[in-house]
Amino acid sequence: MSNTPSSPPNPNRVGFAGFQAYGDVPGVHGPWKTFDGRDMPTWDAVGPATQARWVAAGEAERRAVLERVKTFGAAGIAIAAAIEGRSLMPSEQATLNGLMTAPPERVPVVPPGQKPSIGRAVHYQHGVLVCAADITAVNSDGSVSLLVKPPNENPYPVSMARQAPTEAPLDGRWNWMPRV
């Protein structure tokens, strides 16, 4: 982006994510430009009233996506989009990624050095979906076997799962659940 917005305390909150997406879409004059070619203002520059409007719009979009989750199930959102002949809306993608329900600032993570053991609860990343999972075995190569429990679907086993190298979710990898 040419006019990088200042970051709020939680850059994943609804409203700011939409504001960024809006600015990233190129218009006649390019991304982060107004209709008449001026630089688009930053998040801080638009002020609290406009920020509140962006947050309200983001919350409305989030509620609509959550209604779709109730109707189709989390995995069904992608299926519904395919049936409708469209790609996922940014709000659907963000909801499935967990961006719109980001944890509070400075959530402590499990300290390095934790060792997986049978019965421990972890998160498993399946595509864009973060699933709860239980460790069912610790393998000699350091991988684990999991019982993955996706929302509104039947649990399924995963063997030889590796831990993600960072706290960031990675498809097909597991992470410790954040402490909240």
Side-chain angles (χ1 to χ4, degrees):
M1 330 179 224
S2 61
N3 185 18
T4 305
S6 53
S7 294
N10 181 352
N12 295 327
R13 71 174 293 176
V14 293
F16 181 73
F19 179 81
Q20 271 194 288
Y22 179 87
D24 287 343
V25 174
V28 175
H29 301 286
W32 291 94
K33 297 288 183 183
T34 63
F35 71 94
D36 57 359
R38 292 177 292 133
D39 283 342
M40 190 174 136
T42 64
W43 178 256
D44 287 338
V46 298
T50 300
Q51 289 173 3
R53 289 182 187 109
W54 276 102
V55 170
E59 284 293 339
E61 189 71 27
R62 181 177 178 272
R63 283 190 301 275
V65 171
L66 292 176
E67 281 301 312
R68 291 179 70 85
V69 170
K70 286 180 191 173
T71 303
F72 298 110
I77 288 179
I79 295 168
I83 290 170
E84 294 168 3
R86 62 176 178 80
S87 54
L88 286 175
M89 293 184 297
S91 56
E92 291 171 323
Q93 186 72 50
T95 299
L96 293 177
N97 286 344
L99 293 178
M100 298 178 101
T101 55
E105 306 306 314
R106 297 189 175 131
V107 173
V109 297
V110 176
Q114 287 281 339
K115 298 215 181 288
S117 59
I118 295 171
R120 297 286 303 269
V122 296
H123 280 163
Y124 179 76
Q125 188 74 24
H126 180 79
V128 297
L129 188 63
V130 177
C131 303
D134 295 327
I135 297 175
T136 58
V138 179
N139 304 313
S140 59
D141 66 353
S143 66
V144 299
S145 295
L146 300 171
L147 179 63
V148 178
K149 302 179 276 188
N152 303 317
E153 295 179 24
N154 290 326
Y156 61 88
V158 171
S159 59
M160 309 297 285
R162 298 251 175 231
Q163 184 175 6
T166 67
E167 292 89 27
L170 186 61
D171 189 28
R173 299 287 185 105
W174 68 270
N175 274 323
W176 296 110
M177 292 182 177
R179 294 179 186 242
V180 291

